[in-house]
Amino acid sequence: MKPSLALLIVGTLYLGVGWMLSAIGPSLPALARQAGHEVTDLGAIFTAFSLGGVLASVGVGAAIQRWGLRTVIAAGSACMGAGMLSLGLSPLLAGMLIGAGVAGFGYGGMLAGGNLLIARLYHGAAGALNALNLFFSVGSIGGPLLVALMLAVIGQPQAAIWMGAVLMLGLVWPASRLQEPTQAPSAQMSGPPRWLAAVTLGILMFTYIGTEIGIGGWIALILERGVGMIAPLAALGSSLFWGMLTAGRMAAVFWGDRLGPIRLLLLCVSGLGLGGLLLVIGISQASLALAAVAFMGLSCGPIFPTTILLITQAAGRSPAALSVALTIGTGGGLFLPALFGQFIGWFGPVSGAIMVVVDAACMLLLLLVARYGMKRDPAVAEMSVG
């Protein structure tokens, strides 16, 4: 199988993931009515999803070694589709949480399996991983748009989640036909693990995932309560975030390899902090708030795939190092998105913007430590730092 076809199959899976995850935030009020709970209580959905991802990450390295990448990816697709269908249809919060957990478990397998497959097929090129995650971003734009459409047409925005779940289930068979990489991994992915860098990058990923899910999940509510937007317009504001995130990944496809992953991350994390600061300043002004949303999305675009690339390089040939880093990283969604929701409920929408600034500052510090950890192997440091 050609690498481009594998990229298309895995990319379509990621498109479905982005579609569904971005549809959850704008659907929260409807899901809350469906379950008979306050909307802020549904922050537990993000926690359950991330818990499933953490559980998957614990054993994903060993699972890939035993059953191969395509089996892990296909099983992840099945779990993701079934879990999200349960989340969107259940009349009980408990059913939603179980579905979110199953979906998160599937996502954990696809996250590691899909990125590792493309990284090996394309010899660790940052552009290829940004291209893969560009599919996720495209789906993330479509999710809120479909939510707005379903709200206007049938009054059930969660129908966007149902449709995405059906797509994921339909992709199980194509995923099971993926071929394993036959060429040897690049030197950066076959050396000894650099544990300091791997663990620090895992913590950075922890912070970023929690922040991205927090922004994507709660930005519509922030715009409603801070700016006073009506729900359909606030959902479009969520699409603006994901649209600019897509633009950021598209730019990284062309510029990522030229800048090098460390420099690219420094630039983007700094931009995320500045975007959060702009949102703090303009929380009650529509033009400034939307500009901040756009700038945060643009800055977020390359962060996740570039961090994944650095993790695969830092882990080297060690499944244990890969599992540890991914387990730490996927745990970010356990706490931070729910914390976003609680802070917004307690202190108002500006607290969500302040959290973005604090998280970006933490990520900058972690990146400097990871850079030092990568430099401990001179050959890898030279290639990684660019």
Side-chain angles (χ1 to χ4, degrees):
M1 180 180 291
K2 293 181 178 180
S4 57
L5 181 56
L7 178 61
L8 179 62
I9 293 173
V10 180
T12 306
L13 285 169
Y14 278 40
L15 183 145
V17 173
W19 170 352
M20 289 184 291
L21 292 185
S22 66
I24 292 175
S27 300
L28 284 175
L31 290 172
R33 290 191 296 272
Q34 181 174 301
H37 282 259
E38 293 293 327
V39 66
T40 52
D41 294 339
L42 269 67
I45 287 176
F46 300 116
T47 301
F49 181 87
S50 296
L51 178 60
V54 169
L55 293 176
S57 298
V58 170
V60 70
I64 289 170
Q65 272 200 328
R66 181 169 183 178
W67 292 299
L69 289 165
R70 66 179 178 186
T71 301
V72 170
I73 295 169
S77 178
C79 290
M80 183 88 187
M84 293 300 285
L85 198 60
S86 173
L87 187 158
L89 290 172
S90 176
L92 301 174
L93 180 58
M96 292 180 181
L97 296 180
I98 292 171
V102 173
F105 188 82
Y107 174 68
M110 286 194 297
L111 171 70
N115 279 283
L116 191 55
L117 177 72
I118 300 305
R120 289 181 177 174
L121 287 175
Y122 285 88
H123 306 286
L129 283 181
N130 274 284
L132 171 63
N133 286 276
L134 183 61
F135 283 88
F136 176 94
S137 305
V138 172
S140 298
I141 297 171
L145 292 175
L146 192 57
V147 165
L149 178 63
M150 293 297 101
L151 185 61
V153 174
I154 62 174
Q156 291 186 300
Q158 63 269 48
I161 300 175
W162 309 339
M163 295 166 67
V166 172
L167 172 66
M168 295 299 295
L169 293 173
L171 289 169
V172 173
W173 184 84
S176 70
R177 309 311 298 170
L178 289 165
Q179 293 185 8
E180 303 289 326
T182 54
Q183 63 269 49
S186 66
Q188 292 165 287
M189 298 178 188
S190 58
R194 290 161 295 283
W195 280 97
L196 174 62
V199 171
T200 306
L201 288 165
I203 300 172
L204 191 155
M205 182 177 162
F206 173 100
T207 309
Y208 174 73
I209 287 180
T211 304
E212 183 192 286
I213 296 175
I215 297 171
W218 296 105
I219 195 61
L221 190 64
I222 289 173
L223 293 174
E224 283 186 50
R225 294 188 177 181
V227 179
M229 289 186 180
I230 60 174
L233 287 180
L236 293 179
S238 179
S239 267
L240 174 64
F241 171 76
W242 294 111
M244 294 305 292
L245 188 147
T246 302
R249 284 189 181 158
M250 190 176 298
V253 170
F254 300 102
W255 292 99
D257 292 323
R258 298 182 186 182
L259 288 173
I262 295 289
R263 289 173 184 163
L264 183 61
L265 278 182
L266 281 170
L267 179 65
C268 293
V269 172
S270 300
L272 176 60
L274 291 174
L277 185 60
L278 182 60
L279 185 59
V280 172
I281 297 169
I283 192 68
S284 61
Q285 303 175 50
S287 58
L288 284 180
L290 291 175
V293 170
F295 197 66
M296 288 190 298
L298 185 67
S299 301
C300 280
I303 295 177
F304 177 78
T306 307
T307 304
I308 285 286
L309 173 61
L310 287 171
I311 285 175
T312 60
Q313 293 177 1
R317 60 173 176 265
S318 170
L322 178 65
S323 288
V324 167
L326 292 178
T327 300
I328 294 171
T330 52
L334 283 171
F335 311 106
L336 292 180
L339 199 58
F340 266 88
Q342 291 299 326
F343 276 12
I344 291 168
W346 293 336
F347 307 114
V350 72
S351 60
I354 293 172
M355 278 195 67
V356 174
V357 177
V358 173
D359 290 351
C362 293
M363 283 188 278
L364 275 175
L365 180 61
L366 290 165
L367 182 55
L368 294 176
V369 176
R371 185 175 185 269
Y372 168 77
M374 295 295 281
K375 278 187 172 182
R376 295 184 68 180
D377 185 327
V380 173
E382 184 178 347
M383 288 184 283
S384 299
V385 175

